Amino acid sequence: MSMPSREHPDRRAIMRELHARPVDIIETTARLRRTVFVLPPVPGAMDAILTRFRDFLASRKLPPPGGDTRQFAFVSGDRRITWEFHTEFVTVTWRTGPEDETAWPDDIGLDLFKDAELIGASRVDVRAGDTINESILPQFELSSLCVVMVEKGKAQLVTDFVEDADGFTHFEFAAGALTPLRRSIVTRRLLEVDTYRTMALLALPLARRIGPDLRAAETELTGLMERLPEATTTDGVQKALTALHALSVRAGQLSERTSYRFAAAAAYGQVLTARLVGLREVETNLGSTVSRYLSNRVDPALATCAAMEKRIGVLTDKIARAIELLNVRIGLDLQIQNQSLLESLTKTAQSQYRLQATVEGLSVIAISYYLLGILGYALAGPLEKLEIDKGVALSISVPFVVLLVWYFVRTIRRRHFDGS
């Protein structure tokens, strides 16, 4: 049976992802350096650096990277250079002989990062022995010295996470007992440990910068909540609502400034933890382990960022609840005002009805009076011939005239209401 003609559209992408970042095999000793450049948070920043990188390769008559390339390696003189493209940063790693002292070579494309910022630089010296000569330990800072066996005791690592004169954190890695593959994998993990601890800690300065703004917003919200019971008038409620809306905008701005950075820090922290576990450290009595040293520094930083993120979320929720309470208060005030208006309208209608009834009664009397006067003149002659007393006749006709006029006025009013 041949291979089915229809396959999932992402199948090839998944397969490429397994081999997107191949390990650079280190046969013997070597010196590796890595720089980490953070790209500006603007649309098209990654596309711009990729374009410059392709132009750089073309100028050296090297094949360009593919459209979805995340790692690309090439050779320049004695150096093997690897560019890796991540979500928001790019790393440039180059491997040379252990005697190479050139910290910032000009033939690997470092000048392409015109609008990016250097955030990290690492150097790993891969040695041929099984352990590090203790005579070099005084070169490291004692307060941050890490001396640990890795790969379950098959190799040894020394670092102090202090920048050297060229600006690189220095790792001494005695990996003579490891196979080239394991040596290469652990070396890559060391570079990634330094890369991801840097990227994870990138959120801490931001957390410290927004601290005063966040505290000011929390204090302002507390004051507004304490004054809410005093907002009993429409103007007072409106002022409180305006202040809360302004505070809501500030909280939203804080969230916008920090949400991505804090989420990225948490993700980088998880990757860092995985890389540290992959070192398979064995403790020595010469210094701290890399895992313990970084955990004591990175974990509190990530906890600070998480606490800041939580405080921003709590602040936003409190503001939303306060605005909701004010909206409920405004709704109740409107209901009370509407009730008062309805009662006023009812009273007005009742007054108008009474007035109308009074006017109607007076109208009946006035019309009856004039009608009786007309009847008196109209019947004067006939009554005299019939020898009937005019006063008696009019007195008898008064109830009938009044009822007739009342019925006539009532009929007109009903027709008027029915027509409306």
Side-chain angles (χ1 to χ4, degrees):
M1 178 178 177
S2 62
M3 179 179 177
S5 59
R6 185 175 180 180
E7 63 180 24
H8 194 281
D10 294 329
R11 180 172 182 264
R12 297 299 173 185
I14 293 171
M15 290 300 297
R16 286 194 298 269
E17 183 63 26
L18 292 177
H19 307 282
R21 305 188 191 279
V23 176
D24 183 20
I25 301 299
I26 303 173
E27 296 292 344
T28 55
T29 61
R31 170 167 290 174
L32 293 94
R33 295 182 187 268
R34 167 176 286 188
T35 55
V36 184
F37 292 91
V38 176
L39 301 181
V42 296
M46 185 62 73
D47 292 337
I49 189 63
L50 275 168
T51 299
R52 291 197 291 269
F53 182 55
R54 290 191 180 97
D55 293 341
F56 169 78
L57 294 177
S59 67
R60 294 175 172 269
K61 295 181 173 50
L62 295 172
D68 57 351
T69 297
R70 299 177 62 189
Q71 177 171 310
F72 187 86
F74 62 98
V75 176
S76 179
D78 295 333
R79 299 184 181 90
R80 177 175 174 80
I81 305 97
T82 303
W83 280 53
E84 293 185 39
F85 301 90
H86 299 260
T87 303
E88 63 173 332
F89 66 92
V90 178
T91 64
V92 181
T93 308
W94 61 98
R95 173 166 59 91
T96 62
E99 70 286 346
D100 184 13
E101 298 294 336
T102 305
W104 301 97
D106 56 7
D107 61 344
I108 63 175
L110 295 179
D111 57 333
L112 302 180
F113 295 96
K114 300 175 182 178
D115 50 357
E117 296 175 327
L118 178 69
I119 190 64
S122 313
R123 179 185 117 204
V124 179
D125 289 337
V126 182
R127 305 300 183 184
D130 299 342
T131 58
I132 300 296
N133 192 333
E134 293 187 12
S135 62
I136 71 169
L137 295 183
Q139 301 175 12
F140 295 87
E141 185 68 35
L142 181 60
S143 60
S144 59
L145 180 64
C146 298
V147 183
V148 63
M149 305 299 295
V150 295
E151 284 291 284
K152 297 182 178 181
K154 296 180 180 178
Q156 191 173 36
L157 173 68
V158 178
T159 186
D160 57 0
F161 292 101
V162 175
E163 292 184 347
D164 60 18
D166 297 316
F168 290 78
T169 55
H170 178 202
F171 295 84
E172 285 283 336
F173 181 37
L178 300 179
T179 64
L181 178 59
R182 294 308 306 171
R183 181 186 306 121
S184 305
I185 291 174
V186 176
T187 301
R188 183 182 179 88
R189 285 176 181 165
L190 293 177
L191 292 171
E192 290 178 340
V193 162
D194 207 40
T195 298
Y196 287 109
R197 65 94 182 171
T198 301
M199 295 303 299
L201 289 174
L202 186 58
L204 183 60
L206 175 61
R208 289 171 175 168
R209 284 196 298 270
I210 69 164
D213 293 337
L214 178 58
R215 181 57 183 163
E218 291 171 336
T219 302
E220 184 175 344
L221 177 61
T222 300
L224 285 172
M225 294 297 291
E226 291 176 351
R227 294 192 299 271
L228 270 184
E230 302 173 4
T232 56
T233 64
T234 302
D235 290 341
V237 172
Q238 189 61 43
K239 288 180 180 178
L241 191 59
T242 301
L244 282 172
H245 276 298
L247 194 58
S248 177
V249 171
R250 288 167 55 190
Q253 290 172 339
L254 286 175
S255 178
E256 185 65 23
R257 288 169 55 191
T258 59
S259 58
Y260 174 80
R261 185 77 274 141
F262 288 167
Y268 292 140
Q270 293 177 356
V271 176
L272 173 62
T273 299
R275 296 300 184 267
L276 289 172
V277 170
L279 292 178
R280 298 188 289 182
E281 295 176 289
V282 177
E283 188 175 2
T284 69
N285 59 359
L286 299 176
S288 175
T289 64
V290 175
S291 298
R292 184 184 302 122
Y293 181 82
L294 289 182
S295 296
N296 290 340
R297 275 78 182 171
V298 176
D299 290 352
L302 295 179
T304 298
C305 297
M308 283 289 184
E309 187 174 28
K310 184 177 181 179
R311 285 172 61 188
I312 293 173
V314 170
L315 175 66
T316 302
D317 292 341
K318 285 183 177 180
I319 293 173
R321 286 197 298 269
I323 291 176
E324 184 177 355
L325 287 174
L326 278 180
N327 287 331
V328 171
R329 174 65 180 276
I330 292 173
L332 290 174
D333 289 345
L334 286 175
Q335 290 181 5
I336 294 173
Q337 291 177 4
N338 291 336
Q339 183 67 28
S340 300
L341 181 60
L342 288 174
E343 291 176 355
S344 176
L345 291 174
T346 301
K347 290 179 181 179
T348 301
Q350 290 174 348
S351 299
Q352 289 178 346
Y353 179 78
R354 293 191 188 100
L355 179 60
Q356 184 179 357
T358 302
V359 171
E360 184 179 314
L362 294 174
S363 299
V364 170
I365 293 172
I367 294 171
S368 299
Y369 174 77
Y370 287 109
L371 186 58
L372 285 171
I374 294 172
L375 286 174
Y377 286 110
L379 297 176
L383 291 175
E384 185 176 351
K385 288 183 178 182
L386 294 173
E387 297 180 352
I388 299 174
D389 186 78
K390 178 182 177 180
V392 173
L394 290 176
S395 298
I396 294 173
S397 64
V398 166
F400 298 101
V401 170
V402 171
L403 286 174
L404 181 63
V405 172
W406 174 82
Y407 178 77
F408 180 72
V409 172
R410 185 178 180 87
T411 301
I412 292 175
R413 188 180 68 175
R414 284 182 175 177
R415 289 180 178 176
H416 175 71
F417 285 152
D418 291 343
S420 62

